[in-house]
Amino acid sequence: MTDPRLILAIETSCDDTCAALVEGPRVLSNVISSQASFHEEFGGVVPEVASRHHLELINAVVASALERGGAGLVDLDALAVTQGPGLIGALLVGLSTAKALASANRTPLIPVDHLQGHVAANFLEPDPLEPSFLCLIASGGHTLLAGVTGTAGYEPLGQTLDDAAGEAFDKGARLLGLGYPGGPAIQRAAESGDPDAFEFPVAMTREPGLEMSFSGLKTALVYRVRELGPEATAAAAPDLAASYQRAIVDQLVAKLGRALDAGEWRAVALGGGVAANAELRRRTGELCEQRGLALKLVPIELCTDNAAMIASAARYADPIPYPDYLEFDAFASASAATAG
Ligand code: KG4
Ligand code: ZN
């Protein structure tokens, strides 16, 4: 396997249009154009709207990543692109753009799994983390515990049986009228709230395994909001947000603790948009301190979707030569990643 040094990566799996230039573990540029304001009025991502905006934004985002990184297409050792999982129409915009740009100079292309990208964010500077480590990946579409023993893949140890943790944040924020994306909105509202004010169920903590579940929590909030009515809900929004956030974080931290009991891990890392959550970062810090383990927290802009993490994963995958990549297709659901 070669180690291409200068990689331009593209990521369009959901509602952020992203391109980044990465050299080894160094991020030279990391451009993220969020479409959140377009989706806010719908309280979530509308797939067709996302694809259309990706089409409008992608060329400018790529140009900006190259310019800020100080390189041209001819300088690249490889391009990388998210192949899945994600919204199929959104993924296809990134994939076809990457194919076209790579073909122009017969540059190799590296297709990347989005979840491996979240794991690989930990391999970037500052302070790259070397395997092995236990990684909690919690995003809008996925929530899983990954055993990372190599740079090329991971072993899924347990995952959510229903909603993702980010989805729970987004649905909760919608019920509380706090806006989209829900994670940052709940976190902000929770800052002035009391996490003991309301009791929400912390699912799956009596079950022995590493599976998680967040749909019951959302249902509990639906009932709470219904009982309270619109005025009392608005007045209690900070307390509701703080209590709801605590229930999500409690479950994630309990399962992390259980995974640590079950394996021999020296370090813990977080990945995915929910890893940006201040309460989750704080509580995971406490857990690691209690157990004398190293904790790796990547900067916020490398937690939520970005293309630098895709380039990082691509460093450890085989570049596909022109024209073999032209037949690649995007995939919507998670593929089974292998430990590497
Ligand atoms: O990884 P990501 O950017 O996209 C997906 O792959 O899904 O994750 C997006 C998710 C959204 O559900 C968003 O509400 C959540 O991450 N998120 C947060 C925070 N920032 C983003 N959740 C909790 N607290 C945050 N500060
Ligand atoms: Zn993601």
Side-chain angles (χ1 to χ4, degrees):
M1 187 173 67
T2 58
D3 180 10
R5 294 303 295 171
L6 191 63
I7 302 179
L8 173 74
I10 294 176
E11 147 66 44
T12 61
S13 65
C14 191
D15 65 337
D16 292 315
T17 314
C18 314
L21 197 63
V22 168
E23 186 171 36
R26 270 200 317 138
V27 181
L28 304 180
S29 68
N30 188 21
V31 180
I32 301 166
S33 178
S34 168
Q35 305 176 9
S37 57
F38 299 114
H39 299 282
E40 189 164 10
E41 63 177 299
F42 307 105
V45 178
V46 184
E48 282 307 312
V49 174
S51 313
R52 191 151 40 81
H53 283 296
H54 283 310
L55 264 180
E56 284 166 9
L57 296 165
I58 190 73
N59 287 343
V61 167
V62 165
S64 166
L66 287 170
E67 196 195 317
R68 288 187 210 181
L73 283 177
V74 288
D75 304 321
L76 302 175
D77 293 314
L79 274 93
V81 65
T82 307
Q83 191 178 17
L87 302 171
I88 200 76
L91 287 162
L92 283 171
V93 176
L95 185 61
S96 27
T97 304
K99 283 182 187 175
L101 293 174
S103 321
N105 296 301
R106 308 294 192 251
T107 311
L109 181 64
I110 305 167
V112 172
D113 180 283
H114 181 82
L115 296 174
Q116 177 60 19
H118 279 304
V119 170
N122 292 291
F123 306 147
L124 290 168
E125 288 179 356
D127 308 321
L129 179 65
E130 288 197 10
S132 46
F133 56 88
L134 176 68
C135 186
L136 169 68
I137 306 170
S139 72
H142 301 89
T143 297
L144 70 141
L145 284 155
V148 183
T149 54
T151 45
Y154 60 85
E155 187 190 350
L157 303 173
Q159 60 181 325
T160 181
L161 299 173
D162 42 55
D163 291 351
E167 203 174 345
F169 273 107
D170 293 336
K171 287 177 173 171
R174 188 149 85 185
L175 285 164
L176 297 176
L178 296 174
Y180 174 84
I186 294 223
Q187 178 176 317
R188 254 190 321 274
E191 278 162 16
S192 56
D194 172 8
D196 293 322
F198 293 92
E199 207 171 306
F200 285 110
V202 180
M204 307 298 284
T205 42
R206 277 195 290 269
E207 326 289 322
L210 297 177
E211 275 70 42
M212 293 164 266
S213 165
F214 295 94
S215 65
L217 175 61
K218 175 206 63 196
T219 309
L221 183 62
V222 169
Y223 285 119
R224 248 313 132 79
V225 165
R226 222 177 265 168
E227 267 162 39
L228 290 168
E231 268 172 39
T233 297
D239 287 348
L240 285 163
S243 307
Y244 186 79
Q245 173 174 267
R246 177 188 275 178
I248 295 174
V249 172
D250 273 352
Q251 188 184 163
L252 292 172
V253 173
K255 292 293 164 152
L256 250 179
R258 193 166 291 167
L260 290 172
D261 293 339
E264 294 273 312
W265 301 105
R266 288 180 294 112
V268 172
L270 300 178
V274 178
N277 185 266
E279 186 62 11
L280 178 62
R281 290 165 90 92
R282 188 181 69 75
R283 295 275 306 281
T284 309
E286 282 175 6
L287 178 74
C288 290
E289 209 176 307
Q290 280 161 16
R291 298 187 182 223
L293 297 171
L295 170 64
K296 163 81 179 163
L297 294 174
V298 297
I300 305 290
E301 68 274 13
L302 294 178
C303 292
T304 46
D305 286 350
N306 67 87
M309 69 183 196
I310 302 302
S312 179
R315 289 180 63 210
Y316 305 101
D318 286 328
I320 311 294
Y322 175 87
D324 299 4
Y325 48 77
L326 292 177
E327 65 194 34
F328 284 177
D329 212 348
F331 58 88
S333 354
S335 63
T338 51

